[in-house]
Amino acid sequence: MTCRRGPWAARQMTKRLPPTNVELLVSRLSVLACRVKPLGEGDAVLLKRYDDIFASVHIVELSVEVMDAATQLRARHGLKTSDA
């Protein structure tokens, strides 16, 4: 999920999921990235939209090991995180 397109795009994406046992997973890092702009701009409406979306998905906690591995990959190969 990307914050650049806003909550509307996220809602459209979830509507296109097949009506099966599919669960949308989002990292805590994505939650942070999406909430920064509306918080900084004092946009309570946009913040609520994001919070409503995040309340309906499974938030995945990233372990220290995963974060360390991602850091190593970024440093060695110049990769960007998916939220960047």
Side-chain angles (χ1 to χ4, degrees):
M1 184 165 103
T2 178
C3 299
R4 294 184 186 116
R5 294 185 183 171
W8 179 85
R11 285 274 183 229
Q12 294 305 310
M13 181 181 67
T14 57
K15 286 180 183 177
R16 285 183 272 169
L17 291 174
T20 61
N21 292 334
V22 175
E23 184 176 12
L24 185 61
L25 305 175
V26 177
S27 75
R28 183 71 61 193
L29 183 60
S30 294
V31 175
L32 178 150
C34 290
R35 296 183 85 238
V36 168
K37 184 177 180 180
L39 277 171
E41 295 177 353
D43 189 341
V45 172
L46 182 57
L47 182 62
K48 171 113 174 64
R49 287 180 184 163
Y50 279 124
D51 288 345
D52 288 348
I53 291 169
F54 293 129
S56 67
V57 301
H58 182 78
I59 298 175
V60 177
E61 302 298 337
L62 300 175
S63 69
V64 171
E65 294 81 13
V66 168
M67 295 301 289
D68 286 346
T71 303
Q72 291 294 325
L73 287 169
R74 284 196 64 191
R76 283 191 202 131
H77 303 288
L79 301 174
K80 301 254 183 201
T81 58
S82 60
D83 300 298

